[in-house]
Amino acid sequence: MDAPQPTARTGGVVATLAFAGTVAAVMQTLVTPLIAELPKLLNTSSSNATWVITVTLLVSAVCVPVSGRLGDLLGKRRMLLVCAVPLFAGSVVCALASSVVPMIIGRGLQGVGMGMVPLGIALLRDVVPKEKLSSSIALVSASLGIGGALGLPIASAVAQYASWRVLFWGSAALALAISALIWFLIPDVPAGAKGQRFDVPGALGLAVGLVCLLLAVSKGAEWGWASTTTVGLFVASVVVLLAWGFWELRTRDPLVDLRTTARPRVLITNLASLFVGFGMYAGMLIVPQLLQFPEATGYGLGQSMLAAGLWMAPGGIMMMIVSPLGGKLTDARGPKFTLISGVLVIAAAYGLGILLMGSAWGLMLFLMVSSSGVGLAYGAMPALIMSAVPASETAAANGFNTLMRALGTSIGAAVIGAVLSQMTTETGGFSFTSEAGFRTGLVFGCGVAVIAAAISTFIPAVRGSVTGGKSDATASPEVAPARG
């Protein structure tokens, strides 16, 4: 790959892409403060209201790898602008919605915008000087976690002190701001895979397989894990994804080059990403409940939604601070070292959480340490991926890696949710997750982080780094020195 030409706008490019990723992630947590109120606001059942959250997950999982591939084919700047359109349109539809169907449509459109993150990371390889690349990748990659952590307190404050519709008008304004910043600050670089065909059958097959899998994972507890619907969806996902893999290996211009994905450095990084996503989300699911459960339970802290969000906000701030430092660590020791360090920090944070879960200060400290680990890990994974794929596949490869993280969070939500719903206690005539249930969830998070660290140790070394050395696309890991 030719080295990118340094420009005076490098800082603006990185800031714009980090802001775009943060806003896209905020869209996912936007409705969290409204969950309990959605049935009343939309005149629907609680079951139907959950689709307002589920549809964003499904659409983003399908669109992220597709957006990545289109970025390689048509140009990353163009696709960033395309992704901003449904972010704006979906926000407007949600702001005007008075029933559940248009709200679900709007939330689905917002999910399309999640493709901004892998596109932005891939674009950095083309435009950022090599000495700034690792820290830039780390910041933009961590924007997913930063947006998720900061979105909750902001959304809580707006929902509590203004109309819920203001949330969506605000997100529409942010989408317009992102579009303007991309238009004026992001350079147009040639498409890396220009001239190749878009794999329509591959995109459809992946979409069907992922929807079946994620529906089964996200709705299995509600429908019953042994129900005909859930089991049928799991079986369908396996069959469809196997057929999709068969097609991808035989088509000339695949949506996802599985041969590249099967390279040890890419394959093991993606596997680790699955567990990192699980480990990150477990804490995000447990902490808000502990903060808001009634004090009468003996372990709940009785905080309001807004107060709980404010206790959690320092975690997002820590991620913002640590991410660029993780880039410097990657430059010094390699992305593999940074990834292992990050997941070990996450594991240590869960141990801290088990000890300090009895106070709001303790939970805040747990999230600050955990978010620091996530910032390190999230910045290292794209660097590992891009050091092992050709420039023509960077957006698609990053899209697939982002998908693996999302699958990890979905599986984590299902597993931790099942643990918390099964281990309950009665207080004041109401059923609550027991203290033992929360501790078990924290132990799960710790164990998954340790597994991610163990998996990461098997990532092969590479000659050079993402910041300018040869990659696995051109060098064999067997002859590389022992550097991550």
Side-chain angles (χ1 to χ4, degrees):
M1 181 191 73
D2 294 334
Q5 295 301 312
T7 71
R9 299 187 299 175
T10 295
V13 169
V14 176
T16 296
L17 296 176
F19 178 59
T22 300
V23 171
V26 165
M27 301 289 183
Q28 288 194 312
T29 59
L30 202 63
V31 297
T32 303
L34 304 174
I35 291 174
E37 301 295 322
L38 282 176
K40 182 174 66 175
L41 293 173
L42 301 175
N43 298 310
T44 189
S45 65
S46 296
S47 177
N48 287 337
T50 61
W51 284 102
V52 173
I53 296 174
T54 304
V55 70
T56 310
L57 167 71
L58 294 176
V59 173
S60 64
V62 170
C63 289
V64 160
V66 172
S67 298
R69 181 57 179 162
L70 288 173
D72 288 329
L73 292 171
L74 304 177
K76 302 177 186 72
R77 177 180 180 271
R78 180 183 298 180
M79 285 307 302
L80 283 167
L81 289 168
V82 168
C83 286
V85 173
L87 273 184
F88 173 77
S91 299
V92 172
V93 170
C94 289
L96 297 174
S98 56
S99 61
V100 71
V101 172
M103 179 66 82
I104 290 173
I105 293 172
R107 290 288 291 160
L109 288 170
Q110 287 184 324
V112 177
M114 289 302 296
M116 282 186 166
V117 179
L119 284 168
I121 295 169
L123 181 63
L124 292 173
R125 187 180 187 181
D126 299 328
V127 300
V128 175
K130 65 179 182 180
E131 65 272 12
K132 296 182 179 180
L133 186 52
S134 292
S135 58
S136 299
I137 289 172
L139 180 60
V140 175
S141 180
S143 65
L144 274 175
I146 294 168
L150 296 181
L152 183 59
I154 294 171
S156 300
V158 173
Q160 184 166 331
Y161 295 107
S163 166
W164 62 271
R165 297 184 189 275
V166 173
L167 287 173
F168 295 105
W169 287 122
S171 65
L174 288 173
L176 286 178
I178 290 171
S179 300
L181 289 170
I182 293 171
W183 182 268
F184 289 109
L185 296 179
I186 302 299
D188 194 9
V189 296
K194 189 174 182 179
Q196 296 183 15
R197 296 178 302 175
F198 180 70
D199 180 16
V200 175
L204 293 175
L206 182 61
V208 173
L210 287 176
V211 167
C212 290
L213 175 62
L214 289 172
L215 270 180
V217 169
S218 60
K219 292 290 185 179
E222 179 182 333
W223 294 338
W225 293 108
S227 69
T228 302
T229 302
T230 304
V231 173
L233 284 171
F234 274 126
V235 172
S237 70
V238 171
V239 172
V240 172
L241 289 175
L242 284 175
W244 171 78
F246 182 84
W247 167 264
E248 292 296 282
L249 288 171
R250 281 156 181 77
T251 190
R252 188 181 70 183
D253 298 319
L255 179 73
V256 178
D257 189 339
L258 294 182
R259 291 181 178 84
T260 299
T261 305
R263 289 176 179 164
R265 192 169 177 86
V266 180
L267 178 64
I268 300 174
T269 299
N270 281 329
L271 183 59
S273 300
L274 188 74
F275 286 91
V276 172
F278 187 127
M280 180 202 75
Y281 197 76
M284 297 298 293
L285 192 64
I286 290 169
V287 171
Q289 296 187 60
L290 278 172
L291 287 169
Q292 295 176 75
F293 267 28
E295 292 180 328
T297 58
Y299 51 90
L301 300 173
Q303 304 288 311
S304 67
M305 169 63 79
L306 176 57
L310 292 174
W311 281 112
M312 296 173 68
I317 295 171
M318 284 301 299
M319 200 179 303
M320 194 179 303
I321 293 170
V322 169
S323 296
L325 300 178
K328 295 183 184 299
L329 182 61
T330 292
D331 285 337
R333 300 294 302 273
K336 176 180 175 179
F337 182 87
T338 306
L339 176 57
I340 294 173
S341 299
V343 289
L344 288 177
V345 169
I346 295 172
Y350 276 106
L352 195 65
I354 294 170
L355 296 174
L356 303 178
M357 61 178 281
S359 71
W361 284 100
L363 291 176
M364 184 183 73
L365 183 60
F366 156 61
L367 282 183
M368 290 176 69
V369 177
S370 175
S371 297
S372 298
V374 171
L376 293 174
Y378 268 34
M381 289 183 288
L384 284 161
I385 294 294
M386 289 199 291
S387 68
V389 301
S392 61
E393 297 177 20
T394 50
N398 275 302
F400 194 76
N401 181 252
T402 303
L403 171 62
M404 295 302 290
R405 297 190 226 174
L407 287 176
T409 59
S410 301
I411 295 169
V415 172
I416 300 300
V419 170
L420 300 185
S421 65
Q422 293 299 314
M423 302 181 69
T424 60
T425 185
E426 294 286 335
T427 301
F430 295 95
S431 179
F432 295 92
T433 299
S434 66
E435 184 176 2
F438 285 118
R439 291 191 184 277
T440 301
L442 291 170
V443 169
F444 263 91
C446 181
V448 168
V450 171
I451 292 172
I455 291 172
S456 301
T457 62
F458 291 97
I459 297 173
V462 68
R463 185 163 40 196
S465 73
V466 69
T467 58
K470 292 181 180 179
S471 74
D472 278 350
T474 58
S476 172
E478 285 76 16
V479 298
R483 181 185 177 192

